[in-house]
Amino acid sequence: VNSRPTAEIYTRPDVVAVYDGQHELHGAEALLFDDCVKTDAKVLDLGVGGGRTTPYLARLASRYVGVDVSEVMLARYREKFPEMTLLRLDATDLGAFPNESFDAVVFSFNGIDTIPTLEGRRRCFAECSRVLRPGGTLLFSVHNARYLIFSPVLGGTGPVRAAWRLLYAAGRTIAHFANRFPTVAFRCGAGFSFDPLTHGGLMTFVATPQHVAPELIDAGLILARYLPGQFPGNGCTLRTPWY
Ligand SMILES: C[S@@+](CC[C@H](N)C(=O)[O-])C[C@H]1O[C@@H](n2cnc3c(N)ncnc32)[C@H](O)[C@@H]1O
């Protein structure tokens, strides 16, 4: 279990600033939002953070509701998007919404992995399933339990910057081998894993798609499709940071 509560980490000014400063969708998100979120859909955006996904989803939606558990994240979000509906809720209890009230539920950027207990994670999937209309879609990402190799972005950089990025990638890869390779989560393909390099140390759940599929079935959902986080780039499992 997580010894540092998520609620505390996502209230730190440095962490809020990270999510406040992000505006772009990842390639996989852009494709899946396009394919799965229809015009006029009712969309629930869980763990909305700094609102990175808001402009993309809200312009498609007939109803858009953002939710986050961190009051500090929400305060910053309200300054940026005063017109949006925003609620302080824990994604493990969506009792504020009736059954079948959304066409799409989104929990982006591995937010579900920061729920600190397996029971909380199970409740979150069950709640997403309950508030989705039949045929609706849950879009989310999860950390890959088998991610080891950090791939640098080298295109469009000069030789000095490329050399620096290669060195950095080598350092991250060595750190991943030391931290992840010996863990039960790596061997079994699922479990809690401590990432010392993110936000000064963050415990998150990590999993392979093969592990997530039965979690979804338990909640009455089906794993219809998944893409690697580096999409449209390809890469082996060991190079995929999240799905
Ligand atoms: C990794 S950030 C992602 C932010 C944003 N969705 C994005 O894609 O940029 C995770 C967010 O989920 C929120 N969060 C974590 N656990 C949550 C929970 N149980 N219920 C609601 N929000 C939660 C955090 O406060 C944080 O804002």
Side-chain angles (χ1 to χ4, degrees), residues 18-25 50-53 55-56 80-81:
V18 167
Y19 295 101
D20 186 24
Q22 299 193 5
H23 309 286
E24 304 286 322
L25 291 186
R52 186 177 61 85
T53 51
Y56 301 93
K80 285 160 81 174
F81 303 104

Side-chain angles (χ1 to χ4, degrees), residues 10-174:
Y10 287 107
T11 58
R12 280 196 350 235
D14 58 318
V15 175
V16 174
V18 167
Y19 295 101
D20 186 24
Q22 299 193 5
H23 309 286
E24 304 286 322
L25 291 186
H26 304 135
E29 291 171 331
L31 181 91
L32 292 173
F33 288 2
D34 258 12
D35 282 3
C36 305
V37 184
K38 305 286 175 237
T39 307
D40 291 339
K42 294 177 183 140
V43 179
L44 176 64
D45 199 351
L46 298 173
V48 74
R52 186 177 61 85
T53 51
T54 298
Y56 301 93
L57 294 169
R59 75 167 163 244
L60 290 171
S62 61
R63 179 186 182 207
Y64 175 83
V65 181
V67 158
D68 206 287
V69 77
S70 158
E71 192 51 68
V72 186
M73 253 341 154
L74 292 174
R76 180 65 196 114
Y77 184 101
R78 279 193 194 99
E79 285 171 25
K80 285 160 81 174
F81 303 104
E83 71 287 8
M84 291 295 163
T85 306
L86 187 65
L87 298 174
R88 183 172 188 220
L89 288 178
D90 190 315
T92 63
D93 179 3
L94 302 177
F97 307 112
N99 295 353
E100 302 182 8
S101 40
F102 293 97
D103 301 296
V105 175
V106 177
F107 208 158
S108 60
F109 222 155
N110 315 315
I112 194 161
D113 291 340
T114 63
I115 294 173
T117 63
L118 281 178
E119 173 52 21
R121 184 176 173 89
R122 191 197 61 74
R123 278 203 314 270
C124 180
F125 279 131
E127 281 291 80
C128 291
S129 176
R130 183 184 66 74
V131 301
L132 276 172
R133 67 158 176 79
T137 306
L138 171 62
L139 293 140
F140 65 104
S141 61
V142 294
H143 292 96
N144 172 21
R146 300 261 159 75
Y147 174 46
L148 286 182
I149 301 170
F150 187 96
S151 305
V153 179
L154 298 176
T157 55
V160 174
R161 189 168 285 233
W164 165 245
R165 287 190 181 177
L166 277 169
L167 264 179
Y168 178 77
R172 287 289 293 238
T173 301
I174 291 166

